[in-house]
Amino acid sequence: MRIEVVLGDITTQTVAAIVNAANSSLLGGGGVDGAIHRAAGPGLLQDCRQLRRTVYPQGLPVGQAVATAAHDLPCRWVVHTVGPNRHRGQTDPNLLASCFRQSLLVAQSLGADSLAFPAIGAGVYGWPPEDVARAAATVLTVPATDWAGVALVRLVVFRPDWVEIFNAALDRAA
Ligand code: AR6
């Protein structure tokens, strides 16, 4: 599995699936969640409402992931995950790692061969980028066979100085 860190907008990534740093309601929000919903169009919100009516009436739990279609986005699927909110005392980094792991498992089960992640938790939810990078690296650098079928994982960061932070975490975990 190739792992790359790029500076950019996740909504324009031409990969099989992108990950959304959502909240438990799955009904949209600010940050990358807002950007993804705007770019995907109203069909994405309809899919999310349908998930709330059916499998997740109480909302998607922190650390879990679920997929929808991607509608007007250039990818095929959106994998929604919910990071731990540090401002609400959710300070266990294993929950961050769980977001990366569960998103990968969902992508793998769909047959998505490429997946782009944002820096889950590193915005509104208050995590330092180093912690997010470490959580991502821990999950992504398990032996390659564990993510069979996923050929590419792209970590898409929104700030130039975070490229180095994520690359350094990957180097340390390798
Ligand atoms: N492409 C890539 N990264 C982006 C983009 C983009 N278009 N836009 C923002 N980021 P956040 P969280 C970066 O706050 O911390 C939402 O309201 C951003 O700079 O989006 O998990 C949800 O609904 C930051 O580095 O996610 C939840 O309520 C990173 O994405 C809550 O925020 C994550 O920031 C989730 O908070």
Side-chain angles (χ1 to χ4, degrees):
M1 183 173 80
R2 194 166 105 226
I3 305 168
E4 59 188 27
V5 181
V6 303
L7 174 67
D9 180 350
I10 202 163
T11 66
T12 62
Q13 303 297 314
T14 50
V15 285
I18 65 169
V19 176
N20 181 18
N23 58 61
S24 284
S25 82
L26 292 176
L27 301 179
V32 73
D33 193 7
I36 288 173
H37 274 272
R38 275 192 300 280
L44 185 63
L45 184 58
Q46 282 171 21
D47 284 1
C48 289
R49 286 194 199 283
Q50 173 74 3
L51 283 171
R52 287 298 307 277
R53 276 194 298 271
T54 54
V55 260
Y56 294 111
Q58 312 294 319
L60 181 66
V62 174
Q64 294 196 23
V66 65
T68 63
H71 299 275
D72 297 342
L73 288 161
C75 54
R76 184 157 173 206
W77 297 283
V78 177
V79 178
H80 307 263
T81 191
V82 183
N85 186 345
R86 276 187 73 85
H87 303 304
R88 293 210 178 138
Q90 295 166 346
T91 55
D92 181 358
N94 290 319
L95 287 169
L96 268 183
S98 176
C99 290
F100 286 94
R101 189 176 300 110
Q102 295 303 320
S103 298
L104 265 158
L105 286 169
V106 167
Q108 210 177 19
S109 72
L110 291 166
D113 61 358
S114 53
L115 179 64
F117 282 99
I120 300 163
V124 173
Y125 283 177
W127 286 85
E130 290 81 3
D131 289 350
V132 178
R134 194 178 309 116
T138 304
V139 172
L140 293 173
T141 57
V142 295
T145 47
D146 287 11
W147 301 122
V150 184
L152 169 70
V153 168
R154 187 176 290 161
L155 298 166
V156 182
V157 297
F158 220 40
R159 289 178 46 160
D161 50 325
W162 289 18
V163 173
E164 179 50 32
I165 292 171
F166 276 72
N167 275 323
L170 287 166
D171 285 347
R172 270 193 297 273

